Amino acid sequence: MKEKENKSALIVNPGIEQPPSVNEDAIRRFKERKRKLLTVDEYMEGILNKNITILSQAITLIESSLPHHHELGQQLIERCLPYSGKSIRIGITGVPGVGKSTFIESLGTTITSQGHKLAVLAIDPSSERSKGSILGDKTRMEDLSADPNAFIRPSPSAGSLGGVARKTRETIILCEAAGFDTIFIETVGVGQSETAVHSMVDFFLLLMLAGAGDELQGIKRGIMEMADLIAITKADGANVQKAKLAQAEYKNALHLFPPADSGWITDAVICSSLEKTGLKEIWNTIKSYVDFTSNNGYLASRRSQQAKYWMYESINEALKNHFYHNKDIHSHLKKTEHDVIANKVSSFIAAQHLIDLYFKKYSE
Amino acid sequence: MKEKENKSALIVNPGIEQPPSVNEDAIRRFKERKRKLLTVDEYMEGILNKNITILSQAITLIESSLPHHHELGQQLIERCLPYSGKSIRIGITGVPGVGKSTFIESLGTTITSQGHKLAVLAIDPSSERSKGSILGDKTRMEDLSADPNAFIRPSPSAGSLGGVARKTRETIILCEAAGFDTIFIETVGVGQSETAVHSMVDFFLLLMLAGAGDELQGIKRGIMEMADLIAITKADGANVQKAKLAQAEYKNALHLFPPADSGWITDAVICSSLEKTGLKEIWNTIKSYVDFTSNNGYLASRRSQQAKYWMYESINEALKNHFYHNKDIHSHLKKTEHDVIANKVSSFIAAQHLIDLYFKKYSE
């Protein structure tokens, strides 16, 4: 096996489901562009000088599948690390229809109007399939797009959740080095991405609709218990009473939840992006959370845990990619999986066969 | 690398935390015993004839770290598969103090008195450290231990959660082949084991204490949303009112939860192992769940998903074991982890270095 192959396990990171051809495509697309690259020093200078154009180019490097782009990107990350970690990282989730974009626009402008610098990122692995990421359509965030204190970056398209999450987490480091003190990471509360977002943010905000009934909201189980705050959106006009009722119900539910490791008590609030109500309160809650967890040491220890978590996650994903892209495995996997589902062979015997097949190559 | 080594990745399965020496110990212990083994046919005959002694010996084979015991055990599993899958698999969790043992004893005797054959298993990876598994102390289940229709098997001691879970899942197959139509899998609701149990059972029962307040109950976040039924225990004497209050609160909370994929609505009930109240109702709820999910096809599809899940879990664990037991990795891991936590290197660059180190060996 060649070294390049091994590296590619982590570099290309196409996820298990994805045929390798996708990488060739990506590489072709990038080659077609033939972007002129700067030196690491030039990128660093631009980032530290808060040059948004250069920041964007640097992020594109991190998102690139081209090995030499990736190498350059990794050098940048290492150079940016000492300048990172000084922001409040906030995960925001909620199903489509909850008004996430308008909420982010309203809360975002509330924050920037207080002199904060806000970067809005997203994790949306499905973006390629769904033609353009959640944040692709910036017209839904006109004010924020035009706001000099705000930087909106769509989700990296293509790739496994692990790959997309890695790129987003690395983008956080660059944005922090570029002086952004508040970072939103948006995701749709219907998939696995929440766990990924939860493991890279300090604060997790869950948006809910009043009276929609959870069966309509489609929030995945377990997500509610990740939330550091539940905000019921669209609490305006005729909706206010319904929103207050929902708020009361969630408050009741929340006090039955086990306490979070942070010692923080999750609350439920109402807000309106339309009438700009409840937004300052949400921002103040986030700031109190940061104070609270800074004082009890949770914030720092959580970030260390997250860094550790992502190291092991990356290792495990690289091992899996290497295994599942092995030709022999690829040709046997589907049949074996079918036999397991048909109860013809036990899950563990099937696994053993594939593992033996994989490692035999190297023992020959 | 020798093949034996590769196999051992899955066979010995000592988990990441555990020093390989433990296996040598286990092997020594087993060698000392020098148990006379039966043939696969003899084990099969015994199991199909519902011979509990032979069933126990077969389970011991599955729990053994000795390669030839393991081989024999795997052959048995394959032979038993056609006879498996005909039981109701029930996960039961709750923190110490909730009265799990007495509950299992009371519900268990309720079930066996209706002519059912019940096997009680446990997943408790910590059992070795905590000197004897949850079910080690059978004196807490005197009636059930003496009940000819009940079979109690303590958690396999030693090993990673993955290893223990695998052995328990394989034990289910043997027990089903031996004619047990109801299987309890007990675990303590404080760790990761719930997810493992949840992914091998049809029904997940969460035991809670009335008025203890979740902060006292220490149930892990997310577990409440796994439950197919919440039973408030010790609803007897002066406790009844408190229990009913807690029941009402949980009912309120539960209706705010997102619906389960099964379409089943989780309820909260009260019961007393002492006064034997609420137990028949719990058993009837479990039976209605089985009818409901059999009719809507969820039960079958969930079991297929679980079989698939365990195949991939086993593969991934074998890959991890092989990686983390690699000498070079072992000697670099702690230092690298420390640098990541100290923010000296990014999680992903650190992972990349270790991955390159690992694969380089085979490219030389």
Side-chain angles (χ1 to χ4, degrees), chain B residues 93-360:
Chain B
T93 194
V95 293
V98 78
K100 216 177 315 87
S101 300
T102 43
F103 174 84
I104 288 174
E105 164 117 325
S106 310
L107 182 62
T109 45
T110 309
I111 292 171
T112 52
S113 68
Q114 295 182 17
H116 291 286
K117 292 200 71 196
L118 171 70
V120 182
L121 314 175
I123 289 189
D124 176 20
S126 66
S127 56
E128 187 142 276
R129 268 157 281 147
S130 66
K131 306 237 180 303
S133 78
I134 325 174
L135 288 171
D137 176 14
K138 286 193 182 183
T139 54
R140 277 182 291 159
M141 296 190 190
E142 278 179 343
D143 300 352
L144 217 50
S145 311
D147 188 331
N149 286 325
F151 171 66
I152 302 179
R153 178 79 181 193
S155 173
S157 62
S160 64
L161 172 56
V164 171
R166 192 197 85 218
K167 291 165 184 172
T168 304
R169 191 172 147 87
E170 290 177 333
T171 302
I172 294 175
I173 294 168
L174 297 190
C175 290
E176 289 176 340
F180 289 95
D181 58 38
T182 312
I183 308 216
F184 286 176
I185 299 165
E186 175 190 14
T187 186
V188 180
V190 289
Q192 284 304 321
S193 348
E194 290 64 40
T195 321
V197 172
H198 187 250
S199 48
M200 65 175 73
V201 297
D202 306 315
F203 188 92
F204 198 69
L205 174 58
L206 173 60
L207 303 180
M208 294 289 244
L209 275 172
D214 288 292
E215 64 282 6
L216 298 178
Q217 303 207 0
I219 283 286
K220 241 178 113 265
R221 292 203 143 201
I223 291 177
M224 217 163 89
E225 294 192 63
M226 283 185 196
D228 297 302
L229 179 67
I230 293 179
I232 293 129
T233 56
K234 301 184 179 176
D236 37 45
N239 237 330
V240 175
Q241 284 319 309
K242 261 200 303 181
K244 284 183 174 164
L245 190 67
Q247 178 187 21
E249 284 180 323
Y250 281 115
K251 277 173 177 283
N252 282 332
L254 286 166
H255 96 274
L256 286 170
F257 279 7
D261 301 339
S262 56
W264 175 259
I265 308 298
T266 302
D267 195 8
V269 299
I270 63 173
C271 66
S272 163
S273 311
L274 198 67
E275 300 175 354
K276 305 259 184 292
T277 52
L279 300 167
K280 280 199 180 60
E281 291 73 6
I282 290 174
W283 177 234
N284 290 333
T285 305
I286 295 172
K287 285 189 293 184
S288 336
Y289 174 90
V290 172
D291 294 340
F292 179 78
T293 52
S294 304
N295 294 334
N296 69 13
Y298 177 78
L299 190 68
S301 79
R302 175 168 177 179
R303 285 192 172 184
S304 301
Q305 287 312 308
Q306 289 177 333
K308 215 171 110 181
Y309 168 84
W310 283 105
M311 181 183 89
Y312 284 105
E313 270 299 293
S314 313
I315 290 173
N316 299 339
E317 181 168 11
L319 293 173
K320 282 194 263 177
N321 282 335
H322 195 273
F323 177 86
Y324 291 106
H325 286 100
N326 174 295
K327 275 198 192 58
D328 301 351
I329 300 304
H330 216 277
S331 54
H332 287 74
L333 191 61
K334 279 297 146 206
K335 164 91 173 66
T336 312
E337 185 184 304
H338 180 275
D339 290 348
V340 165
I341 290 172
N343 213 28
K344 281 186 198 158
V345 56
S346 96
S347 311
F348 305 103
I349 295 164
Q352 182 67 68
H353 290 158
L354 292 170
I355 284 290
D356 292 344
L357 187 67
Y358 177 64
F359 283 113
K360 210 163 281 160

Side-chain angles (χ1 to χ4, degrees), chain A residues 214 221 225 256 312 337 363, chain B residues 214 221 225 256 312 337:
Chain A
D214 287 292
R221 292 205 143 201
E225 294 192 65
L256 285 171
Y312 285 104
E337 184 185 305
S363 53
Chain B
D214 288 292
R221 292 203 143 201
E225 294 192 63
L256 286 170
Y312 284 105
E337 185 184 304

